[in-house]
Amino acid sequence: MNKLIINRRRFLAGSAALGSGLMVSGCNQFDFLGQRDNPVRNVIEQANVLTYKAQRALIGDQVLAREYGQSEIRQGMKPNGSTEPTTPEYMFLRQANFEPYRLTIKGMVDREVSFSLAELRNMPARTQITRHDCVEGWSCIAKWTGTPLGPLLDQAGVKSTARFAVYHCYDNIQRTLSGDILYYTSSDLVDAYHPQSILSYGLNDQPLPVSNGAPIRLRIERALGYKQPKYLHTIELVDDLSPFGQGKGGYWEDVGYDWYGGI
Ligand SMILES: Nc1nc2c(c(=O)[nH]1)N[C@H]1C(S)=C(S)[C@@H](COP(=O)(O)O)O[C@H]1N2
Ligand SMILES: [Mo]
């Protein structure tokens, strides 16, 4: 499987010649979106400014993302972004089979709560077959199993003044001279409480692999790939995104991707 993880730029450049459907294990592509200077992509990015308000107005708050049938899973889930975190915290958990792992919910809540993997697995589970769309030009249909986030937020008691959930991850997506940059993203509370927003620990009827975000990866099904945080350890309720990273609400958002990231 690791052989399939190849440099994206090279991949996009060479995809036509290589018959690349096979190289991403069958995930569909919309290659032109991967090219930064493509006029179609630019139009799409500008349209994103309008997307948040327009989508919320048009689709309402709790409309479900499309779910697919078993026979529509035609490929494995292509790993992308971080696939093997090397922070000491993560490497420690991984070698301990994630036994000491805890998911923490903190910030603007009545009480900070945390859950072990065993506790999360024993909670009511939801399984959904959905399509993951990465802005870089590919989609995969995969089956995700996990426990809905909403009831856990209720256990913590989200304060009425909280507006966003910030999702903190273990992986060092980027290393700089001034230290590692850890992956994070965020959503509003509508997406956090959405019935398909699950803390997933299962992928295609198997335990979630490290390359796809073990032990816990949040699915936010109406949003693009970069809004699906892998290696999640803390959910922080806040009323302001500016203190985190560069202040745009996520690692990719900080480099210019749309915050809402709706599909
Ligand atoms: N922690 C973390 N979450 C992440 C990323 C990442 O690098 N680190 N990449 C994002 C992007 S851009 C995509 S497309 C998906 C890839 O998920 P996959 O590896 O399961 O396909 O994860 C998203 N969530
Ligand atoms: Mo992505």
Side-chain angles (χ1 to χ4, degrees):
M1 201 63 190
N2 273 339
K3 289 206 187 91
L4 296 174
I5 308 165
I6 53 175
N7 177 289
R8 245 172 260 132
R9 246 167 233 281
R10 250 180 42 214
F11 163 66
L12 286 167
S15 59
L18 288 168
S20 55
L22 286 173
M23 300 206 54
V24 287
S25 49
C27 293
N28 294 326
Q29 297 153 59
F30 30 109
D31 281 7
F32 68 91
L33 287 178
Q35 296 158 16
R36 268 169 206 286
D37 51 3
N38 183 287
V40 178
R41 183 187 167 122
N42 290 344
V43 169
I44 289 172
E45 278 181 357
Q46 278 158 30
N48 271 335
V49 180
L50 292 172
T51 313
Y52 178 66
K53 282 187 182 160
Q55 287 200 353
R56 280 281 183 262
L58 285 173
I59 67 179
D61 281 352
Q62 298 293 323
V63 174
L64 297 186
R66 175 166 173 201
E67 295 191 14
Y68 295 77
Q70 183 75 33
S71 64
E72 292 171 283
I73 305 172
R74 298 203 179 88
Q75 77 293 306
M77 182 70 197
K78 169 185 147 68
N80 197 39
S82 299
T83 53
E84 217 170 308
T86 57
T87 53
E89 295 79 5
Y90 186 80
M91 298 214 295
F92 164 74
L93 286 176
R94 186 180 175 180
Q95 58 81 26
N97 242 336
F98 302 111
E99 284 289 325
Y101 171 85
R102 294 194 81 81
L103 176 87
T104 302
I105 302 180
K106 68 175 196 182
M108 299 176 77
V109 291
D110 294 334
R111 64 204 79 82
E112 184 172 317
V113 291
S114 76
F115 307 94
S116 71
L117 214 44
E119 286 170 328
L120 294 171
R121 287 201 190 104
N122 280 325
M123 288 172 186
R126 188 181 204 285
T127 292
Q128 58 206 28
I129 301 175
T130 52
R131 198 187 67 210
H132 174 109
D133 295 320
C134 173
V135 284
E136 287 163 345
W138 52 271
S139 307
C140 285
I141 292 174
K143 185 195 240 183
W144 300 94
T145 299
T147 193
L149 174 57
L152 303 194
L153 293 173
D154 285 341
Q155 281 194 43
V158 175
K159 291 201 185 297
S160 60
T161 43
R163 295 177 58 208
F164 310 105
V166 180
Y167 306 108
H168 298 285
C169 305
Y170 276 118
D171 56 310
N172 39 357
I173 178 82
Q174 200 186 325
R175 298 166 136 189
T176 71
L177 288 178
S178 43
D180 285 354
I181 299 180
L182 301 174
Y183 197 92
Y184 79 107
T185 186
S186 57
S187 77
D188 63 13
L189 297 184
V190 173
D191 271 342
Y193 275 100
H194 187 273
Q196 287 169 319
S197 292
I198 60 173
L199 296 161
S200 62
Y201 45 75
L203 171 60
N204 293 335
D205 297 314
Q206 300 295 319
L208 182 67
V210 164
S211 57
N212 299 106
I216 290 291
R217 186 272 171 81
L218 178 62
R219 297 294 307 168
I220 298 184
E221 297 293 357
R222 296 178 306 174
L224 288 164
Y226 60 90
K227 304 298 271 186
Q228 322 287 328
K230 310 198 278 188
Y231 320 111
L232 178 64
H233 63 80
T234 300
I235 300 176
E236 187 173 356
L237 282 301
V238 300
D239 62 358
D240 177 15
L241 296 172
S242 65
F244 306 98
Q246 302 297 309
K248 297 287 178 11
Y251 172 76
W252 284 113
E253 293 85 336
D254 283 338
V255 301
Y257 286 11
D258 175 56
W259 174 74
Y260 178 53
I263 296 172

